[in-house]
Amino acid sequence: MKILVIALSGIGDALMFTPALAALKKIYPGSEIDCLVMYKGVSDIYKNLEEISEVIYWDFLNRSKIESLSFVMGLRGKYDISINVYPSNRKEYNLINFLIGARKRAAVKYLRKDFMNLGFLNNVRIEENDSLHNVEENIKLIEKISGGRFDNIEGLILNLTDDDKKYAQNFLREHNIGEDETIIGFHPGCSTLKNHANRRWSPEKFARLAKEFIDKRKARVLIFGGPEERGLKEEIVKHAGASNVLAVETDSLIHTAAVMQKCNLFVTNDSSLMHVASALKLKVVALIGPTNPNYIRPWKTVHRIASIGLECSPCFYYSPKPLTCGRKDVKFKCIKELPVELVYQLSEELLDQGK
């Protein structure tokens, strides 16, 4: 049997599908499971997974529609089952699933804007449940495909090689950071698509938090993020004004993950690196504003959700529309007014846990 996993929606979503990949391989141990991806970071993660036979990378964002259509048609008829990972409520993803022509085309039936995004092109479906985590939704989709049942769901899977771990050791050595020091990781970024930059906590607050860790814990603070977030990282370093704060630059997502694994705690916006931290089993403080934490909370790792619990939260559900805020007083108050003191208190709880 040949199965194609269509994981086009990003790094965090791809990671949250990894327990479902493990479930697929258990149900169909002799199957070949390929993955179609369009982000290099997803390709890097999936290439290290033993469940996957082949990672098929295609840059849909920078190829013409004609080139992409030709590429997709080249996959037609090769698979018995194709699966759109959850969440992927876009008409383009459903059309790709349809054109590939698998006998079973699996996807979630969304509660919002399903018809307009051509969800009906899929023929194996479960109804979206807002109370479930993305991991649980994906597992239920696998149960629907196979008729099996999974009561014990695994954690997210991210495999590091010995070379990746050596990279992290060399990184600490080059920056004079001892592995016995308290190392705190920050991710101040997140996707900027569809106005999602408004899910970010401010750089000034991250800088204030860094000072708290340095003053009270003598910590080393590492600021993580992709190449497009270099300016954001440098802004926090500048505001913190301390030699113990470092903007981390690596050559790949896997090497970023390897350095992250050295952290005692990871403080992050709702972002792909939050899920990387979960896969690494780090202690995580997740800064959650408009997003539904049922969907995206750190999965099967020790964590705290930092939120001010406004009556209007959560207001963001997966949608092709840009992120908006309906408040009349302070736009995106849920994240803008999240206090440094609360985040530090939750961080202290986790750092002291298990001592």
Side-chain angles (χ1 to χ4, degrees), residues 46 55 96 110 133 148 199 234 248 251 274 304 341 348:
Y46 274 13
V55 176
I96 288 168
Y110 291 86
H133 194 280
R199 291 191 282 113
E234 290 174 353
V248 176
D251 55 2
M274 179 180 78
R304 296 286 186 274
E341 294 76 14
E348 284 280 282

Side-chain angles (χ1 to χ4, degrees), residues 68-79 99-100:
S68 293
L69 178 60
S70 176
F71 165 77
V72 169
M73 295 307 291
L75 300 175
R76 187 170 175 81
K78 294 184 177 181
Y79 295 95
L99 291 175
I100 284 168

Side-chain angles (χ1 to χ4, degrees), residues 5 146 192-193 297 311:
V5 173
S146 65
T192 58
L193 296 174
R297 67 184 183 277
E311 72 287 348

